[in-house]
C-alpha cells in the first residue's frame, strides 16, 4: 500500500481529495493532511511518504519552497501538484523543480486523480521495469485499532476478553491509548417540515468521519466510528496529557471545532454527549454509556447542544396511571361533538411542566404522550365516528411521528399541532352535524308540501349534486328515500288514528297521487294500506 499526503490550505480540498482516494484507491493510504508546506516537510522527513499531493499557494511555506526543500533531501518521493487555472507560471516552475504531474484541483474527478496516481506511483507507468510496491503497516494497524475498539464496545460480557480481542488490545497498544480518555456521542440534528415530517438529506458518511477524525487528531489521538444507532462515537485519548486542566481545554477546543466545522462546511448541526474521563480498557463500555446518557439529556435543550455526563444527573419517575386518570376527567364530548379542547391543552401543559421539572427520560416522556393520544383517539372514534386517518391522512401513524421527534420543544409543538388539527376537524364535524339536524327538522316540518331535491338544496344554499352526496353520507340514505320514509311514518299514524280516506291521508303527507302513495307505502312497510288498516 502506498503512503500519501495531501498539502493544501483549503480544508474542503483536503477533505474532497482524501475522500476520493479512500473511496476509489484501495492501494493508497492517506497518512496525513497539512495546511502548509512547513508542516508537510517536517512530516516527510520523519515518515517518508511515497506520494505528495501539494498546492502551490499556501501560507507559512508555499508549495514551490516546499518542493525545493523536499528535492534537496535524499527522499525519493513522487510529487503531484494541485493547481488552479491561474497557476500556469507556477506549475511551469514546479515542473522545472522536478514534480511528476499536476491536476486541476477544483475540477478533478476521482477516476482522473487515480489515473495520475497510477502513473506516478513507484513502479507505475512512469517507471521502466517492475518495482515491488512498498507496503504500509500503518493502515492495517489503524483498521485493527478501530475494529478492536468497536469489538470492546459491542461485547455482551464486560468482564470477558476473548483471546483474539486480547491480542488486538496488545498489538494496537490500547492499554496506553485508553489510559486516559473520554467518549463522545454525536448525532445529526434532524430537520422537520411544517407537518413534523423529517426532511430527508443526502449524507456522505465518509467526509463526515474524515472531518471528525482530522479535528480530533489535531488536538490529540482518537478513533471515530458510526454505530447502529446512527451515532458517531468518538474515543479521544489524552494519554500524553497529565493535567486535568489541559484535558478539559483540549476537549473544549475539539467540541467547538466540531460544531463550527459542521455548521460552516456541511450546513448542519450535531448534538453531543460527553462522558467523564476514564482510565483503562475495562471502562470503555461504561464511558460510552455515560456519553449516550448525556446525549439523551440534550433532549431538553435546543439543537446543537453539548451535554457532559457530570452535569446530567438522573432521570425522574412518572406515574402514568395518575396522569391517565386526570386526562379522562377532562375528556367530555357533547351531543354536537364539541369537546373541551382548552381543558386538554391545559392538561398537556401541566404534563410538559412536570416532565421538565422531574427530568423524565425522552423514552418515558414519549411513552406518556403515546398513551394520552391513544385515549383521545379512542374517544373521538367511539363518540364521533372519526378516525385519525380522516383528519391527518392515510399515512399518519401517531406513535411513529412521536418516536422520531428528538427534541422536547418539538414534542410540545407536535402535541399542540395535533390538538389544533383534531379540534378544527371536530368543529367541522359539529358544523356538519348541526346542518344535517336543520335539514331533518325542515323535512319534518314541511313533509306535507311539494318538497323536491332542488328546492331543499336551494333552501340550504348548497349545490344540488353536493347536497345529494352530503345527505347520503350523513344519513346513509338518499334524499327521496328518506323523505318517503318520513311521510309513510306520518301516514301510518293518520291511518290508525283517524277516519280520513286513503286519498286524504296521501295528500296530508305530501303524496298527490293515490296509486303512487300505495306503492311507496307497501315498499316501506311491506303491507298494503288496507292490510295495515286491518291490523290491530
Amino acid at each position: 500500500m502506498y503512503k500519501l499526503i495531501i498539502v493544501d490550505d483549503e480544508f474542503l480540498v483536503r477533505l474532497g481529495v482524501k475522500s476520493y482516494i479512500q473511496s476509489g484507491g484501495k492501494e493508497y493510504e492517506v497518512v496525513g493532511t497539512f495546511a502548509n508546506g512547513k508542516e508537510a516537510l517536517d512530516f516527510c522527513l520523519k515518515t517518508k511518504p511515497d506520494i505528495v499531493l501539494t498546492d502551490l499557494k499556501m501560507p507559512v511555506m508555499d508549495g514551490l519552497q516546499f518542493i525545493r526543500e523536499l528535492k534537496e533531501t535524499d527522499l525519493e518521493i513522487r510529487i503531484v501538484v494541485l493547481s488552479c487555472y491561474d497557476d500556469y507560471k507556477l506549475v511551469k516552475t514546479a515542473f522545472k523543480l522536478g514534480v511528476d504531474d499536476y491536476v486541476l484541483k477544483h475540477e478533478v474527478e476521482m477516476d482522473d486523480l487515480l489515473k495520475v496516481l497510477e502513473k506516478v506511483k513507484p513502479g507505475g507507468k512512469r517507471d521502466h521495469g517492475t518495482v515491488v510496491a512498498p507496503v504500509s503497516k500503518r493502515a492495517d494497524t489503524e483498521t485493527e485499532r478501530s475494529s478492536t475498539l468497536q469489538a470492546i464496545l459491542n461485547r455482551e460480557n464486560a468482564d470477558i476478553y476473548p483471546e483474539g480481542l486480547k491480542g488486538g488490545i496488545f498489538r494496537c497498544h490500547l492499554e496506553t491509548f485508553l489510559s486516559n480518555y473520554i467518549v463522545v456521542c454525536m448525532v445529526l440534528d434532524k430537520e422537520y417540515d411544517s407537518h413534523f415530517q423529517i426532511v430527508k438529506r443526502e449524507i456522505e458518511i465518509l467526509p463526515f468521519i474524515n472531518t471528525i477524525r482530522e479535528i480530533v487528531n489535531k488536538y490529540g489521538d482518537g478513533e471515530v466510528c458510526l454505530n447502529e444507532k446512527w451515532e458517531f462515537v468518538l474515543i479521544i485519548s489524552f494519554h500524553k496529557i497529565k493535567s486535568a486542566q489541559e484535558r478539559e481545554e483540549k476537549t473544549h477546543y475539539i467540541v467547538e471545532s466540531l460544531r463550527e466545522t459542521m455548521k460552516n462546511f456541511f450546513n448542519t448541526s450535531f448534538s453531543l454527549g460527553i462522558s467523564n474521563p476514564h482510565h483503562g480498557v475495562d471502562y470503555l463500555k461504561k464511558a460510552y454509556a455515560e456519553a449516550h446518557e448525556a446525549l439523551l439529556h440534550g433532549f431538553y435543550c435546543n439543537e446543537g447542544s453539548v451535554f457532559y455526563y457530570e452535569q446530567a444527573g438522573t432521570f425522574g419517575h412518572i406515574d402514568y396511571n395518575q396522569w391517565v386518570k386526570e386526562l379522562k376527567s377532562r375528556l367530555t364530548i357533547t351531543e354536537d361533538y364539541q369537546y373541551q379542547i382548552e381543558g386538554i391543552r391545559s392538561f398537556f401543559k401541566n404534563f410538559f411542566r412536570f416532565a421538565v421539572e422531574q427530568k423524565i427520560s425522552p423514552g418515558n416522556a414519549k411513552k406518556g404522550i403515546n398513551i394520552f393520544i391513544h385515549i383521545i383517539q379512542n374517544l373521538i372514534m367511539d363518540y364521533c365516528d372519526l378516525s385519525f386517518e380522516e383528519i391527518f391522512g392515510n399515512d399518519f401513524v401517531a406513535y411513529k411521528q412521536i418516536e422520531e421527534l428528538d427534541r422536547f420543544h418539538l414534542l410540545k409543538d407536535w402535541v399542540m399541532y395535533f390538538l389544533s388539527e383534531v379540534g378544527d376537524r371536530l368543529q367541522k364535524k359539529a358544523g356538519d352535524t348541526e346542518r344535517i339536524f336543520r335539514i331533518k327538522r325542515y323535512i319534518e316540518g314541511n313533509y306535507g308540501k311539494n318538497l323536491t331535491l332542488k328546492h331543499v338544496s336551494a333552501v340550504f344554499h348548497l349545490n344540488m349534486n353536493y347536497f345529494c352526496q352530503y345527505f347520503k353520507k350523513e344519513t346513509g340514505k338518499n334524499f327521496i328515500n328518506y323523505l318517503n320514509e318520513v311521510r309513510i311514518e306520518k301516514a301510518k299514524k293518520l291511518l290508525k288514528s283517524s277516519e280520513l280516506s286513503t286519498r286524504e291521508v296521501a295528500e296530508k303527507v305530501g303524496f298527490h297521487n293515490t296509486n303512487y302513495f300505495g306503492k311507496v307505502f307497501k315498499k316501506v312497510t311491506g303491507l298494503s294500506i288496507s292490510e295495515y288498516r286491518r291490523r290491530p
Side-chain angles (χ1 to χ4, degrees):
M1 183 173 285
Y2 299 97
K3 295 184 292 182
L4 181 150
I5 68 169
I6 302 165
V7 192
D8 198 296
D9 62 332
E10 295 183 59
F11 173 77
L12 287 180
V13 172
R14 299 198 303 272
L15 182 62
V17 172
K18 183 176 180 180
S19 297
Y20 275 168
I21 294 169
Q22 289 184 322
S23 298
K26 295 182 180 179
E27 59 181 325
Y28 305 101
E29 177 202 357
V30 178
V31 295
T33 62
F34 305 94
N36 62 71
K38 186 178 185 307
E39 292 178 352
L41 182 63
D42 292 342
F43 183 85
C44 289
L45 295 175
K46 296 176 182 178
T47 308
K48 191 191 172 184
D50 301 300
I51 303 171
V52 169
L53 296 172
T54 183
D55 187 18
L56 296 177
K57 296 179 180 179
M58 297 180 291
V60 184
M61 178 187 285
D62 65 24
L64 292 179
Q65 184 64 28
F66 168 52
I67 293 166
R68 285 192 189 95
E69 297 200 19
L70 197 59
K71 286 295 183 179
E72 290 175 0
T73 69
D74 294 330
L75 301 175
E76 294 183 2
I77 298 175
R78 305 298 166 85
I79 303 174
V80 177
V81 169
L82 300 170
S83 73
C84 299
Y85 282 115
D86 57 357
D87 287 346
Y88 174 72
K89 290 183 179 180
L90 296 177
V91 172
K92 189 175 180 180
T93 303
F95 271 106
K96 288 181 180 180
L97 293 173
V99 302
D100 297 276
D101 212 328
Y102 81 102
V103 294
L104 294 172
K105 62 181 179 179
H106 291 300
E107 290 199 354
V108 66
E109 299 290 340
M110 183 170 67
D111 291 342
D112 297 330
L113 179 60
L114 294 177
K115 286 178 183 177
V116 171
L117 294 178
E118 179 68 21
K119 182 170 68 172
V120 305
K121 71 183 183 182
K125 294 179 181 179
R126 176 184 174 281
D127 293 335
H128 299 286
T130 303
V131 179
V132 178
V135 178
S136 170
K137 294 183 179 180
R138 182 180 171 196
D140 293 337
T141 302
E142 287 190 346
T143 300
E144 184 177 16
R145 185 171 81 167
S146 178
S147 61
T148 302
L149 288 167
Q150 290 191 56
I152 295 171
L153 287 171
N154 294 334
R155 65 203 165 103
E156 294 183 2
N157 192 326
D159 298 322
I160 297 177
Y161 293 90
E163 288 302 318
L165 191 54
K166 289 181 180 179
I169 292 170
F170 175 77
R171 286 189 299 274
C172 299
H173 308 290
L174 290 186
E175 292 287 0
T176 300
F177 179 79
L178 295 176
S179 62
N180 184 9
Y181 64 96
I182 61 170
V183 172
V184 179
C185 281
M186 292 178 58
V187 292
L188 180 66
D189 293 326
K190 299 172 184 174
E191 292 182 10
Y192 304 86
D193 63 20
S194 59
H195 297 291
F196 297 91
Q197 298 293 327
I198 293 177
V199 177
K200 293 184 179 180
R201 291 178 289 183
E202 295 295 328
I203 299 175
E204 293 289 341
I205 298 300
L206 189 58
F208 272 82
I209 291 179
N210 284 340
T211 303
I212 295 168
R213 184 174 284 123
E214 183 168 331
I215 291 171
V216 170
N217 289 334
K218 182 178 180 180
Y219 297 100
D221 186 13
E223 281 294 342
V224 186
C225 62
L226 182 66
N227 66 17
E228 68 280 357
K229 299 175 183 176
W230 280 88
E231 296 170 343
F232 291 90
V233 180
L234 288 63
I235 304 168
I236 305 174
S237 174
F238 298 115
H239 62 273
K240 297 179 181 179
I241 295 174
K242 294 184 178 180
S243 74
Q245 181 179 350
E246 186 180 0
R247 183 188 62 229
E248 291 171 4
E249 288 176 353
K250 286 188 176 293
T251 300
H252 175 76
Y253 292 145
I254 290 172
V255 167
E256 291 306 310
S257 295
L258 285 170
R259 296 175 72 187
E260 183 178 356
T261 302
M262 292 304 168
K263 185 65 177 176
N264 292 339
F265 292 105
F266 296 102
N267 192 31
T268 188
S269 67
F270 277 81
S271 293
L272 296 87
I274 304 172
S275 75
N276 286 335
H278 285 277
H279 310 279
V281 177
D282 292 344
Y283 298 98
L284 183 58
K285 282 180 72 72
K286 180 182 179 182
Y288 166 74
E290 289 178 356
H292 180 70
E293 184 165 342
L295 190 64
L296 292 180
H297 279 270
F299 176 70
Y300 289 95
C301 304
N302 290 326
E303 288 75 5
S305 63
V306 178
F307 222 96
Y308 290 81
Y309 180 75
E310 63 185 4
Q311 303 170 336
T314 58
F315 288 118
H317 175 70
I318 178 172
D319 183 352
Y320 296 111
N321 292 330
Q322 173 190 341
W323 287 97
V324 166
K325 184 177 179 181
E326 182 179 343
L327 174 61
K328 288 183 175 180
S329 72
R330 295 172 182 254
L331 287 176
T332 57
I333 294 185
T334 61
E335 290 183 358
D336 60 355
Y337 296 102
Q338 294 286 359
Y339 79 132
Q340 303 302 318
I341 187 70
E342 290 308 318
I344 296 174
R345 283 200 180 101
S346 175
F347 165 82
F348 277 106
K349 288 177 181 177
N350 290 340
F351 176 76
F352 291 140
R353 192 179 302 112
F354 168 83
V356 171
E357 291 173 353
Q358 298 298 317
K359 272 290 185 73
I360 304 303
S361 72
N364 284 340
K366 292 178 182 180
K367 179 180 177 181
I369 298 299
N370 268 313
I371 292 172
F372 308 148
I373 296 299
H374 184 67
I375 292 170
I376 295 172
Q377 180 180 16
N378 288 340
L379 183 79
I380 65 173
M381 175 61 78
D382 291 342
Y383 287 89
C384 309
D385 193 26
L386 188 64
S387 68
F388 278 5
E389 288 75 14
E390 293 178 79
I391 301 173
F392 299 100
N394 292 330
D395 294 334
F396 178 81
V397 182
Y399 80 86
K400 286 186 178 180
Q401 281 205 354
I402 292 169
E403 190 58 36
E404 291 286 358
L405 299 172
D406 59 1
R407 296 288 159 186
F408 184 69
H409 72 86
L410 290 170
L411 187 63
K412 292 199 300 182
D413 290 345
W414 182 91
V415 168
M416 294 307 155
Y417 160 78
F418 166 84
L419 293 178
S420 177
E421 291 293 311
V422 170
D424 289 348
R425 188 55 186 265
L426 287 178
Q427 285 183 356
K428 184 177 183 301
K429 180 83 172 178
D432 288 345
T433 303
E434 174 61 25
R435 183 164 60 187
I436 198 64
F437 283 163
R438 288 189 291 113
I439 292 173
K440 287 180 177 180
R441 284 199 300 269
Y442 184 82
I443 293 172
E444 285 281 339
N446 297 276
Y447 64 88
K449 299 177 182 178
N450 186 25
L451 291 186
T452 63
L453 177 62
K454 182 178 180 180
H455 171 77
V456 177
S457 60
V459 167
F460 289 93
H461 308 290
L462 297 173
N463 174 276
M464 194 160 62
N465 288 333
Y466 175 76
F467 180 88
C468 288
Q469 296 172 4
Y470 168 73
F471 193 89
K472 179 71 178 287
K473 178 184 175 184
E474 295 298 324
T475 66
K477 301 169 185 177
N478 66 43
F479 173 75
I480 296 300
N481 287 344
Y482 182 86
L483 176 60
N484 284 338
E485 288 181 5
V486 171
R487 285 171 167 170
I488 295 304
E489 284 300 315
K490 301 300 181 182
K492 286 162 64 177
K493 293 179 180 178
L494 290 173
L495 290 169
K496 285 288 190 182
S497 63
S498 72
E499 299 296 327
L500 295 174
S501 66
T502 299
R503 182 178 62 80
E504 290 172 327
V505 170
E507 289 179 351
K508 279 189 173 294
V509 298
F511 289 100
H512 302 291
N513 184 303
T514 307
N515 290 334
Y516 180 63
F517 171 56
K519 289 179 180 178
V520 173
F521 190 93
K522 186 164 186 177
K523 180 180 179 182
V524 173
T525 65
L527 300 170
S528 67
I529 294 173
S530 58
E531 288 174 333
Y532 182 78
R533 281 186 184 273
R534 289 196 296 267
R535 289 183 61 179

